[in-house]
Amino acid sequence: MTQTKRLLLSAAALSMIALSPLAASAQSAQSPDERADAAVKAMTQAEKLQMVFGYFSTNATWMSGGTKNFIFPKDGLADSAGYVPGIARLGIPAQWETDAGVGVATQRSPTPRLRTALPSGLATSATWNPESAFAGGAMIGNEAKLSGFNVQLAGGMDLVREPRNGRNFEYSGEDPLLAGVITGNEIKGIQSNHIVSTMKHYAFNAQETNRFTIDVKINDKAARESDLLAFQFAYEIGKPASVMCAYNRVNGAYSCENDWLLNQVLKTDWGFKGYVMSDWGATHSTVAAANAGLDQESGWAFDKSPYFAAALNEAVNNGHVSQARLDDMAKRVVWALYATGAVDDPVKGDQSATIDWAGHAKTTQTDSEESLVLLKNTGLLPLARTAKKIVVIGGHADFGVLSGGGSSQVYAVGAKRFDNEGPDGFPGPLTYYASSPLKGIQARTKANVVYNDGKDPKAAAKAAQGADVVIVFATQWTGESIDAPDLSLPDNQDALINAVAKANKKTVVVLETGGPVLMPWLANVGAVVEAWYPGTSGGEAIARVLTGEVNPSGRLPVTFPASLDQTPRPKLDGDPKLDDDAHPHSDYDIEGAAIGYKWFDKKGLKPLFPFGYGLSYSTFATSGLSASADGKGARVSVTVKNTGKTAGSTVTQVYVAPASDAGWEAPKRLGAFAKTALNAGESKTLSLSVDPRLLATYDSASKTWTVKGGDYKVMTGNSATDITATATVHIDPQTLNVQGK
Ligand code: BGC
């Protein structure tokens, strides 16, 4: 059969092909493009409209009835994020959508599905290990698929412009390369299950305060060199079949009706062939949104009106939206289903009984173990085998570990909310996973390990007296829709730590936080471990790191400021909250592309802990750094050696900088990185490549990346502020197209 004939198949023939396994494999010789074209040709207008309109999929009473006439979609999966009906006669499956980036979430429900949770996205970024990100993505995608979902709303990665952002835990840190590589690999892992992954929240959704209304201002150049570069890297690596536009406005237009973000950058410049879905409640119009590049309205009845239902039909009929555009919208949706394999390898309903729980527990535990960052250690860690009495205090460490709140909340076996902790409503329940660090420590030591809940600092200090070592667990719960009020640990925990440290100098602090926090007690304690939200096996992971079964190898993916005054916006814009109809503004041109360590570098500020920082129980050295021009970028060679007595992993961080001013946003950028496992005494020579865009500046007028000819410094560092060696490389002037080629 010729290609032309295939494309001209009637709708009836197409439906027969889709139903016959033999014919289906013959048909898949066609490209996703050809298949999507044929499918759209075979669709009625009503079926095209059906493809671009999604329903929220929960029985929640607040959604049903009322003026919006929300009806639970009959074939939707209970208490999940969304549902788009399929077209059986064309073999197009329904889209069953689930949140989110750390696993299969459930909307607030008395009977949530219980699944495995990865550590937070920020934690996975702290592994600096693309393989961990891929493995985690593959695992949660598998649970999604076996739960009957073929669209996973994961891939969150707005850069950390605001350390108080309540959703930083869902994202991947402050650097475009690190965030892009980690998120891209997570997406790739999810889609390896033949389901769709999203990339979100596109774009500049860096704070939750006034998230539905805030208008973010940023110029094209700075945007392309920062958040958009992160999304571009993730897109190139992970090829997400869907992108979710954000709630906020960008340069005056809502993200979901933003021609610049959707039509120009994403679809034209990067060549994105999948579909843009709106965030839940982020569609604000019919004509403007469809023409600006939104392909699918999500989660009805979150929006004020069903913009992409009858109103879109009318807009097409009266010519405000072209028929070609509606065809393109429908095509993009089905293209995603063909391209990922969601059509050929369909979900088979609830197969969760076949989930490999033990294997998945190991995946999340490994991810967590690699993500723990040892921030300070005067020798208290790993815990001495000679210790006779260990006192563990606070953080519900006798029960488990904290998780982040909101739509991404994964519920797990044994997880619980403690009375009166966290809000009764969204983004609660404040949930702890049943993986107890206390029990993990007890199982690994001969010492007498006792627990104090830390509620009364005086009692805790008393309990700490005379112990060989004291471990305080401190928590900061963050969640969607609310930003942290400041960077301090809540609930008087700073006072608790100070009281305990005063009673016993041998105090270790383990932090379970959404992102950076201040540590006014730092000088008084002997060791600090940042454990983030460590996932459903997090207690085991923490215990293994504290006892030395695992050598810590995480590095900070985000700068920990010494105070909010050091950040671009000491006071959150739009705070206090305004009415929904007001439009608070935030000027991201203040820092532009100089986010995180770049801002600190540029301003000469000394953070509490720098980006890239993290200690080990071993020591590592680098030698033989050299760099050469390679294609349009650079290649770096360096030897890393484990100079200590303990096996472990190190993260090689390569920073790049022009030898003379090249108009960069900041003195230096992360140019490449690698995580390497090394036995004691072992060394390895690494060859790393620096993407030319990381040596370039973006020119908005010509839509090109320009690498200025001249010398560049290539540096290895233990962090953004601790450079260990510098080499120089000469790069000839280069001009790259908008895709960096
Ligand atoms: C969140 C999205 C999420 C969606 C569906 C929204 O509130 O911003 O990240 O995917 O809900 O639950």
Side-chain angles (χ1 to χ4, degrees):
M1 197 189 290
T2 65
Q3 293 297 335
T4 336
K5 272 190 189 155
R6 273 174 204 276
L7 290 174
L8 292 176
L9 286 171
S10 70
L14 200 73
S15 85
M16 278 166 57
I17 281 177
L19 294 174
S20 141
L22 218 157
S25 66
Q27 191 194 28
S28 61
Q30 288 184 302
S31 70
D33 244 318
E34 291 166 331
R35 297 174 77 184
D37 272 334
V40 172
K41 241 184 205 137
M43 283 180 198
T44 63
Q45 191 77 337
E47 285 166 342
K48 290 174 190 172
L49 288 160
Q50 185 184 314
M51 287 294 98
V52 303
F53 189 74
Y55 299 83
F56 191 40
S57 189
T58 179
N59 278 319
T61 43
W62 61 269
M63 264 296 174
S64 55
T67 50
K68 286 178 173 176
N69 283 333
F70 174 76
I71 298 164
F72 177 75
K74 151 168 121 14
D75 295 319
L77 292 177
D79 301 311
S80 64
Y83 173 74
V84 182
I87 308 173
R89 71 178 192 92
L90 301 181
I92 296 166
Q95 293 150 60
W96 288 279
E97 301 168 322
T98 180
D99 286 303
V102 300
V104 178
T106 302
Q107 299 289 332
R108 287 174 65 88
S109 157
T111 52
R113 44 183 77 69
L114 307 179
R115 297 293 181 266
T116 309
L118 290 170
S120 64
L122 196 59
T124 296
S125 224
T127 68
W128 293 62
N129 187 345
E131 286 170 23
S132 271
F134 178 89
M139 183 275 277
I140 63 170
N142 173 265
E143 291 200 4
K145 180 147 198 171
L146 295 177
S147 306
F149 295 106
N150 54 9
V151 179
Q152 188 148 25
L153 312 174
M157 59 172 311
D158 297 84
L159 295 185
V160 180
R161 289 175 181 269
E162 173 47 67
R164 285 161 290 193
N165 179 4
R167 297 188 90 172
N168 280 338
F169 78 91
E170 292 189 56
Y171 301 150
S172 302
E174 68 189 25
D175 180 74
L177 178 68
L178 179 64
V181 168
I182 294 295
T183 312
N185 276 282
E186 186 189 351
I187 290 168
K188 199 172 172 182
I190 291 171
Q191 292 197 165
S192 70
N193 294 284
H194 301 149
I195 64 173
V196 172
S197 181
T198 52
M199 184 165 84
K200 71 187 191 185
H201 306 93
Y202 186 74
F204 305 102
N205 188 180
Q207 70 173 56
E208 291 298 283
T209 305
N210 279 307
R211 65 176 172 159
F212 299 123
T213 50
I214 197 148
D215 184 9
V216 162
K217 176 163 100 50
I218 186 156
N219 71 80
D220 179 72
K221 176 180 185 296
R224 304 254 192 177
E225 293 172 354
S226 59
D227 294 58
L228 295 184
L229 184 57
F231 279 111
Q232 193 175 11
F233 283 139
Y235 166 63
E236 290 165 2
I237 295 167
K239 290 281 172 335
S242 177
V243 168
M244 185 191 290
C245 47
Y247 285 129
N248 53 290
R249 298 166 196 246
V250 183
N251 297 327
Y254 281 113
S255 296
C256 293
E257 53 186 56
N258 196 307
D259 181 74
W260 168 63
L261 281 178
L262 307 181
N263 281 338
Q264 296 177 41
V265 176
L266 180 67
K267 292 181 177 177
T268 307
D269 295 345
W270 300 349
F272 174 69
K273 287 174 147 181
Y275 65 105
V276 176
M277 64 163 77
S278 61
D279 200 344
W280 273 230
T283 307
H284 297 274
S285 63
T286 301
V287 177
N291 289 337
L294 177 65
D295 301 303
Q296 189 182 67
E297 179 180 4
S298 305
W300 174 253
F302 271 86
D303 292 316
K304 282 196 175 143
S305 183
Y307 297 106
F308 278 18
L312 182 58
N313 191 26
E314 198 181 317
V316 175
N317 284 340
N318 64 28
H320 290 311
V321 174
S322 68
Q323 181 65 45
R325 174 64 188 125
L326 176 61
D327 289 356
D328 174 53
M329 292 159 75
K331 179 182 169 182
R332 286 172 173 278
V333 175
V334 287
W335 179 90
L337 301 174
Y338 287 121
T340 51
V343 174
D344 297 327
D345 179 15
V347 284
K348 300 186 184 78
D350 185 6
Q351 309 268 303
S352 55
T354 65
I355 289 175
D356 173 11
W357 300 109
H360 291 187
K362 193 145 194 341
T363 304
T364 182
Q365 186 177 321
T366 307
D367 195 3
S368 174
E369 285 167 3
E370 286 216 29
S371 78
L372 265 60
V373 185
L374 181 61
L375 293 173
K376 175 173 181 177
N377 190 13
T378 55
L380 289 184
L381 296 177
L383 296 172
R385 279 165 207 275
T386 50
K388 290 207 170 65
K389 184 174 181 196
I390 298 175
V391 178
V392 172
I393 296 172
H396 295 300
D398 57 333
F399 175 79
V401 290
L402 187 58
S403 62
S407 60
S408 67
Q409 181 74 58
V410 173
Y411 296 84
V413 176
K416 85 178 213 191
R417 175 193 179 200
F418 288 89
D419 287 347
N420 305 320
E421 291 192 13
D424 288 335
F426 191 85
L430 187 159
T431 302
Y432 279 81
Y433 294 135
S435 175
S436 162
L438 174 73
K439 289 179 190 149
I441 297 164
Q442 281 167 335
R444 290 175 171 80
T445 170
K446 291 197 181 95
N448 175 25
V449 188
V450 296
Y451 181 70
N452 172 288
D453 68 13
K455 296 229 160 89
D456 172 2
K458 267 196 199 142
K462 200 162 170 231
Q465 275 167 8
D468 293 302
V469 60
V470 186
I471 310 169
V472 184
F473 284 79
T475 59
Q476 175 215 35
W477 183 71
T478 60
E480 179 180 341
S481 79
I482 39 172
D483 293 318
D486 50 38
L487 297 181
S488 296
L489 287 170
D491 305 326
N492 217 19
Q493 291 176 97
D494 285 335
L496 168 71
I497 297 168
N498 265 329
V500 169
K502 210 168 167 195
N504 193 328
K505 279 203 177 95
K506 287 182 274 174
T507 293
V508 178
V509 177
V510 178
L511 296 165
E512 292 169 30
T513 67
V517 288
L518 303 178
M519 304 176 204
W521 33 259
L522 185 61
N524 308 333
V525 303
V528 182
V529 175
E530 175 56 79
W532 318 105
Y533 301 145
T536 38
S537 297
E540 281 293 289
I542 292 170
R544 273 166 52 88
V545 165
L546 294 179
T547 55
E549 265 176 42
V550 169
N551 191 349
S553 63
R555 302 285 185 270
L556 293 181
V558 62
T559 304
F560 276 44
S563 81
L564 274 174
D565 289 339
Q566 295 182 323
T567 66
R569 275 168 290 280
K571 184 177 178 310
L572 264 173
D573 286 323
D575 189 23
K577 288 193 173 171
L578 302 170
D579 289 344
D580 261 8
D581 288 336
H583 305 163
H585 290 77
S586 198
D587 185 1
Y588 284 6
D589 282 333
I590 292 174
E591 75 277 26
I595 301 173
Y597 66 91
K598 295 173 182 170
W599 171 263
F600 278 72
D601 255 10
K602 182 176 158 177
K603 297 280 176 187
L605 297 165
K606 194 174 178 303
L608 179 62
F609 287 108
F611 174 82
Y613 183 80
L615 304 170
S616 163
Y617 296 150
S618 193
T619 50
F620 299 92
T622 52
S623 61
L625 174 67
S626 69
S628 54
D630 181 29
K632 293 181 174 180
R635 184 150 289 279
V636 181
S637 174
V638 65
T639 301
V640 288
K641 181 169 186 184
N642 183 341
T643 51
K645 294 199 175 82
T646 314
S649 294
T650 185
V651 175
T652 304
Q653 301 165 43
V654 174
Y655 294 90
V656 290
S660 58
D661 186 30
W664 285 21
E665 73 285 2
K668 65 176 181 296
R669 299 170 178 163
L670 182 71
F673 64 90
K675 188 160 201 180
T676 316
L678 294 165
N679 286 321
E682 192 185 1
S683 61
K684 277 183 190 157
T685 298
L686 311 175
S687 173
L688 308 175
S689 95
V690 179
D691 188 290
R693 282 167 287 187
L694 294 169
L695 299 169
T697 52
Y698 184 77
D699 179 58
S700 298
S702 61
K703 287 200 171 192
T704 56
W705 295 89
T706 312
V707 181
K708 202 174 162 199
D711 285 347
Y712 286 78
K713 286 194 279 181
V714 170
M715 301 162 274
T716 48
N718 291 325
S719 72
T721 62
D722 181 12
I723 298 303
T724 50
T726 304
T728 302
V729 59
H730 182 86
I731 308 274
D732 290 336
Q734 311 280 353
T735 303
L736 316 157
N737 69 16
V738 71
Q739 295 181 1
K741 290 177 190 145

